[in-house]
Amino acid sequence: MVTLGSLGKDRAQTHSSFHRWKQRMERSKNSNGPLIYFACPAQALGAPRYHLHVLIWEWLRRSFAARHASAVGFDHMDLRQIASARDNLYAAVQGVGYFLGQQRSVFGSTPHDRHEP
């Protein structure tokens, strides 16, 4: 899972930067084919910027992700691996639910309460 953000970017600018980041990542990643992802824009209550939560279905090299994020104008990039469902089903579902719940509650989750509607 990846979080991308930058001060001063509105929703359209964030989307444009994400599109360029995704294209760069597709050229740099190890596997062939498109990057499989689910992305959700969010804006924290009262915050001047948007950020993206991106759930990606393959391994990414942190250094590539950070370099490409910086190159397209993101000043924040966080990359974390979600627990394997085989190892810890609860943690895996919780991690995915966090991303899916950025705009609406998922199974009673509340991350959406921190974001503008």
Side-chain angles (χ1 to χ4, degrees):
M1 58 187 185
V2 179
T3 303
L4 297 165
S6 182
L7 291 174
K9 284 188 185 284
D10 63 20
R11 189 177 178 126
Q13 292 166 326
T14 300
H15 178 266
S16 176
S17 292
F18 172 71
H19 181 70
R20 292 192 322 273
W21 179 83
K22 182 180 74 76
Q23 288 177 323
R24 293 173 69 107
M25 289 303 299
E26 285 177 338
R27 288 192 299 264
S28 297
K29 66 189 186 82
N30 293 326
S31 63
N32 291 328
L35 190 65
I36 307 298
Y37 67 94
F38 174 84
C40 181
Q43 181 181 20
L45 290 171
R49 70 178 192 164
Y50 273 85
H51 60 280
L52 288 166
H53 295 278
V54 187
L55 189 58
I56 299 176
W57 274 264
E58 68 181 276
W59 181 84
L60 298 178
R61 184 174 293 191
R62 179 181 295 274
S63 62
F64 286 171
R67 182 182 53 195
H68 294 320
S70 179
V72 300
F74 287 116
D75 58 18
H76 171 78
M77 194 273 322
D78 182 41
L79 176 66
R80 286 185 242 159
Q81 184 174 351
I82 292 178
S84 165
R86 196 173 324 139
D87 297 336
N88 187 339
L89 181 59
Y90 178 77
V93 170
Q94 190 176 34
V96 172
Y98 174 79
F99 276 88
L100 297 178
Q102 294 301 305
Q103 301 296 328
R104 299 278 187 265
S105 178
V106 174
F107 305 124
S109 66
T110 60
H112 67 284
D113 290 340
R114 298 188 317 259
H115 296 125
E116 297 286 348

